Amino acid sequence: MGDDEGRPSRLAQLVAERRAKLTALRARGVEPYPVEAGVTDGLSAVAAAFAERLAPGEGSGQDVAVGGRLVARRGHGRLAFLVLREADAELQVMARLDRLGPAGMEQAAELDTGDWVAARGEVVRSRRGELSVDAAEVRLIGKALHPLPDKWRGLRDVETRFRRREVDLAVNPEARRVFAMRDRAVAALRAELRDRGYTEVETPMLQPVPGGAAARPFVTHHNALGIDLYLRIAPELYLKRVVAGGLPRVYELNRSFRNEGLSPRHNPEFTMLESYEAYADYHDVMDLTRALVQRAAREAAGTTTLTHAGREVDLAGHWPRRRLLDLVRQVTGHDDLSYETPPGELATLCRDRGAVVRDGWGAGKLILQLYETLVEPTLWQPTFVVDYPLEVSPLARRHRDDPHVTERFELVVAGRELANAFSELTDPDDQRARFEAQARARAAGDDEAMVVDEDYLRAMEFGMPPMGGLGLGVDRLVMLLADVHSIRDVILFPTLRPEAGDPGDPG
RNA sequence: GGGCCGUUAGCUCAACGGGUAGAGCUCCGGACUUUUAAUCCGGCGGAGCGGGUUCGAGUCCUGCACGGCCUACCA
């Protein structure tokens, strides 16, 4: 495109100019992609070490060797200022003819923004007070063939930001902020679990029977074994087998995969924290969940009082625990609703209130539907919604006082589910009956219903301790903490359709 | 999957009732030894792809591609 009549596009011209420089360098025996950089000092370390030192115009007498991406250049004839950036740190390099000589100055002048550059020299403060390296040597260590986006306004186009995250990270501080926050949040979750004596484990992502959640899986194929395998939709069943094996506290923080539609809140691969603790019940897990989220907030955002979508979210203190049925009774004004209310009556109520209904749904599913439609979006401050209907909770233990519900909770913050947890079902006969009910639903056309997992049932038959389990959506937690509203902003390389055109052409 | 909206130079943005598109950054050439969105002078570069209507389409209609938002399923 734009390439007809032999007239190169602007981009092609820019790339050609940079390629010409690269060719000229090689002709002079200079390698534009050397194996070693000679960088011994980090930009941020140098900036920090001299932050409070040196008066304008003063030299330190100390040499450093730094590296970074050239993000700005200000030439003054016999003097040039080069700005190097490494992550969020920037440092100015002064290239002076006096110091570098004609050949060195020429090399510095040939650099383009975007190039990776190493500079060695004395740390000084410029006359205008900017910390600088008075370069004795400036060296190209990685030539950029493509121009950087606008140095002031960065890269705005959302599609390009996701497709070329390297450019987004290079020029948009906001992108770096979000992923730095993600790192701190994940580290905080691991630290809290470690402090509580949890063991981090890794269980199969390739599973012969996809279990642990209600979702459609991705299917793949193993050539040597000649079998289909599924990318896991949850690690749950394997983790519970590890607890059955005698590790009392385990967790896994890693990817799961669900073959569902994409949205600002759903990516086909997403990161979930799942933890299981022997001798704990769902009340204990609520305490754990609150500790995890509060610690992640403190260590990633620096506070438990967040702003999200322009509204305050206060994660401090204790969080209310509300029974799901009570919330539905309250929002509908029907105080007599129960899991024994005839499904036909509930279906009518659903339709009246704009909730989607399908044939064959029982009271539990219908009440859940009312909750999800009418209540969940309105819960802004952190709330534990407890005691979910039995029929929609095939892996959760029956409630000790109420046969219609399970000891299950979801944590809702900012109108969204952040975690899902329960007192785990440990009775193999009950589990078999639940699987069979799921299998019947599956046979009736529910392709998200679970299948009977005999390996898992046999593991249960060896005996499981009572345990509490947790699933926490890590991407959504980061969205909450970072105050971003698309899951694609917290996943480095979100799933996108391939670009049109030759897929082998690197743009 | 369905609905609505978007796509102008490498990047960030304009303009106009349908009449042949303009700026900043980047880049190239020149000046400049203390700038920091450096400055000054000169220069290169453009309508996602394909049809249609029209004397004439970036602008109107339409098909496709990709994206965004809403919706459906889920975390």
Side-chain angles (χ1 to χ4, degrees):
Chain A
M1 64 188 209
D3 219 347
D4 50 332
E5 306 299 319
R7 235 180 343 214
S9 70
R10 176 64 168 155
L11 177 59
Q13 283 177 37
L14 293 170
V15 172
E17 282 159 1
R18 287 167 177 238
R19 278 202 177 279
K21 290 181 181 176
L22 186 129
T23 303
L25 283 169
R26 286 206 163 113
R28 293 206 309 266
V30 177
E31 173 51 52
Y33 301 103
V35 67
E36 60 85 33
V39 173
T40 55
D41 302 286
L43 282 190
S44 59
V46 173
F50 292 90
E52 306 297 326
R53 296 172 52 189
L54 302 177
E58 187 183 354
S60 68
Q62 230 175 300
D63 274 19
V64 294
V66 298
R69 166 171 265 129
L70 179 64
V71 293
R73 195 175 49 175
R74 297 179 285 275
H76 290 265
R78 298 179 192 84
L79 164 72
F81 296 98
L82 309 174
V83 180
L84 302 190
R85 178 189 296 157
E86 190 176 61
D88 283 318
E90 290 188 356
L91 189 63
Q92 173 171 282
V93 172
M94 294 194 312
R96 295 187 295 124
L97 182 64
D98 290 351
R99 191 80 193 277
L100 292 171
M105 202 60 196
E106 175 65 18
Q107 278 183 39
E110 276 176 356
L111 296 169
D112 290 306
T113 54
D115 288 352
W116 284 86
V117 172
R120 184 176 52 76
E122 183 189 357
V123 178
V124 302
R125 201 169 281 284
S126 73
R127 284 178 212 161
R128 294 295 181 88
E130 182 77 15
L131 192 70
S132 311
V133 173
D134 184 14
E137 183 186 12
V138 175
R139 226 180 118 216
L140 174 69
I141 57 172
K143 185 68 186 169
L145 296 173
H146 289 267
L148 283 182
D150 191 290
K151 68 181 173 188
W152 187 238
R153 312 185 76 155
L155 180 65
R156 296 287 181 78
D157 183 82
V158 288
E159 181 177 353
T160 310
R161 284 182 42 231
F162 299 152
R163 288 194 194 280
R164 307 211 192 131
R165 188 67 89 177
E166 61 282 357
V167 180
D168 186 33
L169 290 168
V171 302
N172 290 333
E174 169 66 11
R176 295 193 294 272
R177 179 189 78 90
V178 169
F179 291 104
M181 195 174 267
R182 180 174 183 129
D183 167 59
R184 291 195 300 271
V186 167
L189 295 174
R190 285 202 161 97
E192 181 65 22
L193 289 160
R194 181 150 297 277
D195 289 352
R196 288 168 177 255
Y198 278 76
T199 304
E200 180 168 9
V201 299
E202 288 165 280
T203 63
M205 294 206 184
L206 291 175
Q207 301 183 350
V209 177
R216 277 147 55 196
F218 287 93
V219 190
T220 187
H221 185 77
H222 190 284
N223 291 336
L225 294 176
I227 56 169
D228 282 345
L229 291 167
Y230 300 88
L231 298 188
R232 72 174 177 200
I233 54 176
E236 168 146 357
L237 302 186
Y238 285 97
L239 289 172
K240 283 156 85 170
R241 288 167 67 176
V242 175
V243 177
L247 275 70
R249 296 179 175 202
V250 300
Y251 78 93
E252 183 162 6
L253 199 168
N254 215 318
R255 228 71 61 78
S256 288
F257 307 85
R258 297 187 185 177
N259 207 339
E260 316 267 352
L262 288 74
S263 87
R265 284 162 296 282
H266 300 85
N267 195 63
E269 54 180 311
F270 63 100
T271 299
M272 189 161 53
L273 166 66
E274 285 207 6
S275 72
Y276 294 87
E277 178 174 339
Y279 320 128
D281 69 6
Y282 74 147
H283 295 292
D284 301 314
V285 179
M286 281 185 250
D287 294 338
L288 170 67
T289 303
R290 191 165 61 93
L292 287 168
V293 172
Q294 288 177 341
R295 181 156 178 178
R298 280 195 305 272
E299 295 185 11
T303 174
T304 51
T305 307
L306 308 170
T307 298
H308 191 76
R311 294 177 63 185
E312 185 183 290
V313 176
D314 185 4
L315 298 175
H318 201 259
W319 300 341
R321 304 179 180 193
R322 306 286 306 278
R323 290 170 60 211
L324 186 143
L325 182 61
D326 291 341
L327 290 168
V328 172
R329 282 174 173 168
Q330 186 183 323
V331 76
T332 58
H334 290 63
D335 290 343
D336 54 342
L337 278 186
S338 81
Y339 295 104
E340 286 167 343
T341 303
E345 209 172 298
L346 290 167
T348 302
L349 187 56
C350 280
R351 289 193 196 91
D352 289 350
R353 299 305 186 99
V356 175
V357 175
R358 284 193 202 146
D359 292 341
W361 281 0
K365 177 67 184 170
L366 291 164
I367 287 173
L368 179 68
Q369 195 69 5
L370 284 167
Y371 159 75
E372 287 181 348
T373 306
L374 303 175
V375 181
E376 190 177 85
T378 69
L379 295 174
W380 189 259
Q381 298 301 335
T383 306
F384 289 117
V385 179
V386 306
D387 300 349
Y388 276 61
L390 185 78
E391 67 181 272
V392 297
S393 312
L395 300 169
R397 187 190 190 282
R398 243 172 248 270
H399 196 282
R400 61 197 83 178
D401 299 323
D402 181 348
H404 300 294
V405 297
T406 56
E407 296 197 359
R408 170 181 171 188
F409 75 82
E410 288 191 358
L411 169 63
V412 180
V413 185
R416 281 205 290 271
E417 175 190 345
L418 208 59
N420 180 19
F422 22 94
S423 301
E424 300 290 336
L425 179 54
T426 53
D427 175 342
D429 294 333
D430 194 353
Q431 183 67 72
R432 182 176 291 279
R434 307 275 197 98
F435 273 152
E436 284 169 354
Q438 287 285 305
R440 283 193 296 277
R442 194 176 181 79
D446 182 353
D447 59 1
E448 290 182 351
M450 297 178 190
V451 300
V452 180
D453 186 335
E454 290 292 346
D455 267 1
Y456 179 61
L457 288 170
R458 192 190 311 115
M460 295 185 79
E461 287 167 4
F462 274 93
M464 277 185 180
M467 70 176 104
L470 167 68
L472 179 83
V474 173
D475 309 287
R476 288 185 177 180
L477 174 63
V478 177
M479 288 168 68
L480 175 71
L481 300 179
D483 190 20
V484 300
H485 311 103
S486 171
I487 196 168
R488 291 172 182 162
D489 285 318
V490 302
I491 293 175
L492 276 171
F493 299 97
T495 305
L496 297 174
R497 271 199 179 80
E499 279 181 284
D502 182 1
D505 178 16

